[in-house]
Amino acid sequence: MASARTYSTGWVLFTSSLVLFATLCAAISEYAPGLSESYYEKTCPQAAAIVEKYVTKYLKKDSSFAGAFNRLQFHDCWVGGCDGSVLLNSTATNSAEREAHVNFGLRGINEVDEIKAALEYACPGVVSCADILIIAARDATVKAGGPWWPVALGRKDANESIDLLADGNLPFPVFNFSLLVDNFARKNFSAREMVVLSGAHTIGNTHCNGILPHLYNFTGSDNATDIDPALNKGFAAFLKKQCPQGNRTNTIFLDSTAGKFDNAYYKNVLAGRGIFITDATLIRDSLGKKIVTSFAKAKSTFFKEFADGMVKMGNLGVQTGSTGEVRKKCQFVN
């Protein structure tokens, strides 16, 4: 009986150790529960290669798609989580996220649908639209010269999309530093993480819509001389030629090396060449300026922390398992 009790006690201790080990592993995992780097290994092993093939095609045609795919991940994950809701069309009774003011000029929707069609041909009903966004953002960044990061997969797609939720969650291009910090804090991101993810503005282009308040309406007077004083005067004159007062639809590159993912964004911000108010405001705060300066000096630090930030963003509000669906077409619920 004594030996039986010893065996029983030892087994309990061994089992408890296994449970503790599993709990610790889960606690330190960088992925949300239900996500895995090998999620499609058996069900669609060619999924990542298909996405990469199409991303390569789009970037060869137009390098600014690197920025478009980054923006899609951010604008999806920041509104209810990474669930592909930003891709859905409006219906007769609902205005979708894509119609929100903050999503003006959103690009890449049709391209994601083309990727989805290829995946449906190869592996019907397997790969979610939400996961396509995550893979495409990573691949586009790498192909533009930026950092690589692992992508955990297994997200399901949402079956609703509401424009007011986008305008209520995403930061507007007129936000000042404290508003940006508050916005990111609501998603459990620090001020430093906000500044590093702002570095996505090193690639791609933008419509003048978000730039006009920087040039003509900074204090609300809405005239040709109402310019953000943080802007370099020569750069402000250049922007005005690209974005005449009232013109919302012209496009302009986001930074001086917009086709290449690098740390030039931070150097431009320090020199008064931030495209948006949200860029220029980063150096109006002492903490923000310190962080911007550090990334301007050390590209490797920026790359590592940007990659970490994108992984963290990919964990936001994910639906897995029996929650959500895998859409057949990304712009429509099943």
Side-chain angles (χ1 to χ4, degrees):
M1 292 295 293
S3 61
R5 283 196 298 272
T6 301
Y7 175 82
S8 175
T9 303
W11 176 251
V12 169
L13 290 173
F14 176 70
T15 304
S16 298
S17 296
L18 285 177
V19 171
L20 176 61
F21 177 74
T23 303
L24 288 172
C25 287
I28 63 175
S29 172
E30 60 181 339
Y31 305 132
L35 300 184
S36 167
E37 291 179 49
S38 59
Y39 186 81
Y40 296 117
E41 190 172 73
K42 294 181 178 179
T43 57
C44 192
Q46 65 271 54
I50 291 173
V51 177
E52 182 182 12
K53 172 186 173 183
Y54 278 87
V55 170
T56 300
K57 182 181 85 169
Y58 302 137
L59 265 64
K60 283 184 177 179
K61 181 180 178 181
D62 182 352
S63 64
S64 71
F65 269 113
F69 286 127
N70 264 264
R71 188 185 183 202
L72 275 177
Q73 175 176 330
F74 178 55
H75 283 233
D76 184 42
C77 294
W78 225 244
V79 185
C82 307
D83 57 9
S85 58
V86 73
L87 302 169
L88 284 171
N89 285 341
S90 294
T91 66
T93 58
N94 177 67
S95 183
E97 291 174 30
R98 283 162 53 190
E99 307 303 323
H101 297 293
V102 75
N103 278 329
F104 182 88
L106 201 67
R107 302 170 63 221
I109 306 295
N110 292 332
E111 286 70 22
V112 171
D113 258 3
E114 188 177 10
I115 298 172
K116 176 61 174 174
L119 287 166
E120 283 297 298
Y121 180 82
C123 316
V126 174
V127 183
S128 68
C129 300
D131 277 347
I132 293 173
L133 293 182
I134 298 295
I135 301 172
R138 190 275 307 277
D139 288 353
T141 300
V142 172
K143 292 181 185 301
W148 179 92
W149 59 87
V151 288
L153 305 168
R155 297 164 190 79
K156 294 296 176 64
D157 298 321
N159 53 22
E160 68 173 8
S161 178
I162 302 171
D163 60 346
L164 293 178
L165 292 180
D167 280 336
N169 280 275
L170 286 161
F172 279 81
V174 296
F175 274 16
N176 61 26
F177 188 82
S178 62
L179 288 175
L180 287 173
V181 170
D182 289 345
N183 180 275
F184 275 70
R186 290 201 295 270
K187 308 296 181 185
N188 197 32
F189 283 71
S190 68
R192 185 176 181 89
E193 288 171 321
M194 178 273 289
V195 176
V196 78
L197 289 174
S198 295
H201 288 175
T202 192
I203 48 175
N205 59 23
T206 183
H207 287 88
C208 289
N209 180 62
I211 303 175
L212 296 178
H214 206 23
L215 298 174
Y216 304 103
N217 196 34
F218 184 68
T219 62
S221 61
D222 196 21
N223 63 60
T225 61
D226 194 14
I227 303 171
D228 183 350
L231 274 178
N232 174 279
K233 291 183 179 180
F235 187 62
F238 165 76
L239 288 181
K240 284 191 171 188
K241 289 180 180 179
Q242 306 299 314
C243 298
Q245 191 169 8
N247 187 311
R248 304 172 66 219
T249 57
N250 280 3
T251 58
I252 184 172
F253 287 120
L254 283 171
D255 86 354
S256 56
T257 59
K260 182 180 180 182
F261 195 102
D262 54 24
N263 64 337
Y265 164 79
Y266 296 104
K267 297 175 183 178
N268 290 334
V269 168
L270 287 171
R273 293 182 172 88
I275 288 285
F276 301 116
I277 290 174
T278 50
D279 299 324
T281 196
L282 297 181
I283 59 172
R284 284 196 172 93
D285 180 271
S286 59
L287 173 61
K289 187 171 184 177
K290 181 179 179 180
I291 299 169
V292 168
T293 302
S294 69
F295 291 145
K297 292 179 178 178
K299 184 175 76 171
S300 59
T301 302
F302 164 50
F303 273 28
K304 181 187 182 304
E305 294 188 30
F306 183 86
D308 291 343
M310 292 297 281
V311 171
K312 181 176 177 178
M313 189 198 306
N315 290 328
L316 290 174
V318 297
Q319 300 184 47
T320 59
S322 59
T323 306
E325 63 182 12
V326 176
R327 289 189 222 127
K328 295 177 181 178
K329 294 184 178 181
C330 292
Q331 297 188 47
F332 305 92
V333 295
N334 291 341

